[in-house]
Amino acid sequence: METNEPGQSPLREEIAGHYRQIIELLGEDAGREGLLKTPDRVAGVMQFMLQGYAQDPEAVLASAMFREEDYKQMVIVRDIDFYSLCEHHLLPFFGKVHIAYIPRKYITGLSKIPRVVDIFARRLQIQERMTLQIKECIQKTLDPLGVMVVVEAQHMCMQMRGVEKQNSLTTTSDFTGFFQQAKTREEFMNLIRK
């Protein structure tokens, strides 16, 4: 049996133990050289991939809220890379998120918006819920005149199993406030396509 790294958490050890059992239930020898450290590595990967549960996205946005300088136009952060795990198959889905908001009273530090994306992506997810959660977090915390979120993703559960469609892309969107106007949505979509 492998020895654990110094300072390894009891939680990681417990998760690794379950992965060791899974490997053995699938017919492999968890004690062979190539698999000896795999349960611990996978436990570490899962803790990293699911760290969003321990983070508060509203607190992240609020930590860098500034009264804006009478700016009432779109603030857009586009092409935010994300990686998540599909809650149905525990397979990755990944892609890009594009976000716009129109300030009412507050703006936020631009780096906080990708952090919010990461917090929601680092949970067991479905793309539709993640899109909604990002929108709701920004709307609730910043209280802007409107928010729009577009998520484009590839899903390994569609590409490497099931229908096996290698080039499929899933797009979801959600919006509030001024983005309910077709003209405003169209402006945002044109800007993220450039």
Side-chain angles (χ1 to χ4, degrees), residues 92-139:
F93 70 97
F94 59 92
K96 297 198 180 291
V97 179
H98 316 285
I99 299 171
Y101 72 97
I102 301 170
R104 181 189 318 263
K105 294 179 189 173
Y106 298 102
I107 59 173
T108 189
L110 295 177
S111 70
K112 302 307 178 190
I113 292 174
R115 288 179 197 270
V116 166
V117 170
D118 283 344
I119 291 170
F120 287 117
R122 298 291 189 201
R123 299 174 181 189
L124 295 176
Q125 272 295 9
I126 60 171
Q127 182 174 335
E128 298 88 342
R129 180 190 315 121
M130 187 177 84
T131 305
L132 176 69
Q133 288 173 329
I134 294 167
K135 178 210 69 176
E136 288 178 343
C137 176
I138 294 169
Q139 184 64 51

Side-chain angles (χ1 to χ4, degrees), residues 16-166:
H18 290 291
Y19 276 107
R20 192 171 293 103
Q21 285 182 308
I22 290 169
I23 289 169
E24 290 171 355
L25 286 169
L26 292 172
E28 262 291 358
D29 174 10
R32 75 174 170 83
E33 185 180 0
L35 291 174
L36 195 59
K37 294 184 180 180
T38 298
D40 183 60
R41 289 186 191 112
V42 175
V45 166
M46 292 304 282
Q47 285 183 302
F48 175 79
M49 289 295 297
L50 300 175
Q51 65 184 297
Y53 290 115
Q55 299 170 321
D56 180 351
E58 291 175 22
V60 166
L61 274 182
S63 72
M65 281 176 56
F66 308 100
R67 286 221 177 257
E68 49 90 11
E69 299 296 324
D70 199 32
Y71 188 77
K72 302 282 188 244
Q73 302 302 314
M74 269 185 239
V75 176
I76 300 173
V77 182
R78 65 177 223 185
D79 296 326
I80 303 167
D81 293 319
F82 79 92
Y83 299 89
S84 192
L85 286 176
C86 165
E87 70 181 30
H88 299 144
H89 301 99
L90 294 185
L91 288 172
F93 70 97
F94 59 92
K96 297 198 180 291
V97 179
H98 316 285
I99 299 171
Y101 72 97
I102 301 170
R104 181 189 318 263
K105 294 179 189 173
Y106 298 102
I107 59 173
T108 189
L110 295 177
S111 70
K112 302 307 178 190
I113 292 174
R115 288 179 197 270
V116 166
V117 170
D118 283 344
I119 291 170
F120 287 117
R122 298 291 189 201
R123 299 174 181 189
L124 295 176
Q125 272 295 9
I126 60 171
Q127 182 174 335
E128 298 88 342
R129 180 190 315 121
M130 187 177 84
T131 305
L132 176 69
Q133 288 173 329
I134 294 167
K135 178 210 69 176
E136 288 178 343
C137 176
I138 294 169
Q139 184 64 51
K140 180 179 177 185
T141 308
L142 298 180
D143 188 30
L145 296 171
V147 177
M148 185 159 179
V149 177
V150 174
V151 179
E152 301 170 310
Q154 296 179 54
H155 292 252
M156 292 294 99
C157 58
M158 286 180 59
Q159 293 181 350
M160 61 189 287
R161 58 159 301 282
V163 296
E164 296 185 63
K165 299 302 176 202
Q166 307 311 314

